[in-house]
Amino acid sequence: MKRFKRTRAARTLAGALALLLILGLALLVDCFSGDPVSRAFANRRMLAWANGQWPGHDFYIAEAFGGAAFTYDVRLQSSVSADTWFNVGSVLGLWRYTTDYEFQVEQGYNTCARLEQALASAAASCLEQAAFSATYQPQVYVSLRAPGGQSALPQGMELDMPYDPALAQQAALSLQLATSGPPHTVQARAAAQDAKAALEAAGLSFARYEITLRDKTVEYQHALETLVEASFTAQELG
């Protein structure tokens, strides 16, 4: 009878230790990635907080991420404004709310990024149709901000404003081009002039052309050593 009691006590103790070990491991994992229950609770709280801060948008969760140390993050999207999306973070959705709303929405990052992408897509399509792409294999980027600027909306732009090709007149077009041999500055000017002619024929007149030439016939690291970068205003190109 004594042996049975000791065996049962040992089993009970072993079961309790196993349970504690499982709980400890679960807590450890929770600290790194969170858990579905607390994540759902935090997401609801952050969504309610954002709808209270900026009413009338009927936000929804476009993406959920985070979870380390019970700190959860969501990307919220407005149901009535395409450019009104931003991130919110919080510890369990209870305190320490953080957001990039001011930068993403009020300072115009989202609007600029959308219009820059639209201009870049239009420019890339024009260059492809003009056979420019076959020669240079361009990577096309557009910036509507002043050199070095990252936040302020250019003058006259508003949240959710529609795409207008005339915006190119305020923008810098960046072209990263591949050459079949060592590049040089004269070649950069010629490429900029060719691109300008093709784009203006299609109704896109950019204010500035920033050209990067890289030799595609050599290893990437060596190509970086012979890289040519040049910048021209539309007036300088004629």
Side-chain angles (χ1 to χ4, degrees):
M1 189 68 176
K2 268 187 176 182
R3 181 180 299 174
F4 175 73
K5 286 184 177 180
R6 278 199 296 269
T7 301
R8 186 169 61 180
R11 287 177 179 172
T12 302
L13 180 59
L17 290 174
L19 181 60
L20 288 174
L21 180 60
I22 292 171
L23 290 174
L25 289 172
L27 185 61
L28 182 64
V29 171
D30 227 18
C31 286
F32 285 100
S33 60
D35 65 85
V37 175
S38 61
R39 182 183 297 278
F41 174 78
N43 289 356
R44 285 197 301 271
R45 292 279 300 180
M46 288 186 286
L47 185 60
W49 177 81
N51 278 315
Q53 291 288 115
W54 301 283
H57 281 280
D58 189 20
F59 293 112
Y60 63 88
I61 297 174
E63 183 181 1
F65 49 100
F70 299 103
T71 299
Y72 296 99
D73 301 272
V74 291
R75 179 167 64 85
L76 300 181
Q77 173 68 58
S78 168
S79 296
V80 298
S81 167
D83 290 344
T84 303
W85 62 265
F86 54 96
N87 299 306
V88 176
S90 175
V91 177
L92 284 175
L94 296 174
W95 67 89
R96 279 177 51 195
Y97 287 99
T98 60
T99 182
D100 55 7
Y101 178 90
E102 181 179 357
F103 174 71
Q104 299 287 146
V105 181
E106 291 183 349
Q107 294 183 6
Y109 175 84
N110 295 345
T111 301
C112 265
R114 174 177 57 82
L115 295 173
E116 286 168 349
Q117 183 57 51
L119 281 169
S121 296
S125 178
C126 290
L127 293 175
E128 185 173 359
Q129 292 175 19
F132 183 90
S133 297
T135 303
Y136 291 107
Q137 303 168 10
Q139 295 182 45
V140 182
Y141 305 93
V142 170
S143 176
L144 281 162
R145 302 170 183 83
Q150 292 188 355
S151 57
L153 274 170
Q155 190 173 5
M157 292 181 63
E158 299 177 354
L159 190 72
D160 293 319
M161 69 177 291
Y163 166 71
D164 185 347
L167 288 168
Q169 297 171 17
Q170 306 177 49
L173 177 72
S174 297
L175 297 175
Q176 295 183 9
L177 309 177
T179 63
S180 299
H184 47 81
T185 305
V186 174
Q187 191 177 15
R189 174 179 283 274
Q193 288 173 327
D194 289 347
K196 179 174 181 288
L199 292 166
E200 289 186 349
L204 287 172
S205 300
F206 286 91
R208 176 173 292 277
Y209 294 79
E210 298 172 351
I211 307 296
T212 301
L213 298 179
R214 179 178 63 83
D215 186 354
K216 66 180 180 181
T217 65
V218 298
E219 294 290 335
Y220 181 75
Q221 193 60 40
H222 181 63
L224 293 179
E225 298 171 3
T226 60
L227 207 67
V228 168
E229 295 179 311
S231 181
F232 310 95
T233 64
Q235 290 80 6
E236 289 172 338
L237 294 173

